[in-house]
Amino acid sequence: MKAEETVTIDLRGKSAFSDYLVVTTGRSNRHVSSIAENVTKGLKEAGQKKLHVEGMANADWVLVDTGEVILHVFRPEVREFYNIERLWTQNTQDDARANLKAV
């Protein structure tokens, strides 16, 4: 589906609600919804039973939650505004700095 700027963030040991966070960008509302629809279809075909999708009506930001993995598909402007991957990677960098100080 040619999603752009895809980032996967490992949340194991950092979050109780998910193991991985995947953030990607679609070029338009239609592209965002197409990416989310195709991922959802693939997950269902693969036997994923626990699946929650939000945001398809506007398709500025669509969230697909499987429990273990949460996928966020954004339009570029919306991704830049919320910048959710920075929140999680910033915590990882802070943890690394704390570990270095402890040595």
Side-chain angles (χ1 to χ4, degrees):
M1 293 302 307
K2 298 185 181 182
E4 300 172 352
E5 301 179 35
T6 303
V7 176
T8 302
I9 301 168
D10 187 346
L11 299 178
R12 293 174 295 178
K14 297 177 186 86
S15 168
F17 64 85
S18 187
D19 292 335
Y20 294 95
L21 182 69
V22 179
V23 182
T24 196
T25 302
R27 293 179 302 276
S28 66
N29 297 77
R30 182 65 191 136
H31 191 210
V32 167
S33 65
S34 292
I35 292 167
E37 287 171 1
N38 278 291
V39 168
T40 302
K41 180 182 174 190
L43 288 168
K44 287 179 181 177
E45 288 173 357
Q48 180 69 39
K49 293 182 185 349
K50 182 181 176 187
L51 194 62
H52 181 76
V53 180
E54 292 183 23
M56 288 295 279
N58 293 329
D60 285 327
W61 173 3
V62 177
L63 178 137
V64 179
D65 184 356
T66 71
E68 294 84 20
V69 178
I70 298 175
L71 168 67
H72 295 270
V73 187
F74 290 99
R75 279 190 315 102
E77 305 81 24
V78 179
R79 182 175 181 174
E80 184 177 340
F81 179 79
Y82 287 104
N83 200 6
I84 64 170
E85 62 264 39
R86 184 191 57 129
L87 296 173
W88 289 100
T89 57
Q90 182 177 1
N91 288 339
T92 302
Q93 291 169 355
D94 290 344
D95 291 344
R97 280 189 221 116
N99 288 337
L100 287 175
K101 288 179 183 177
V103 173

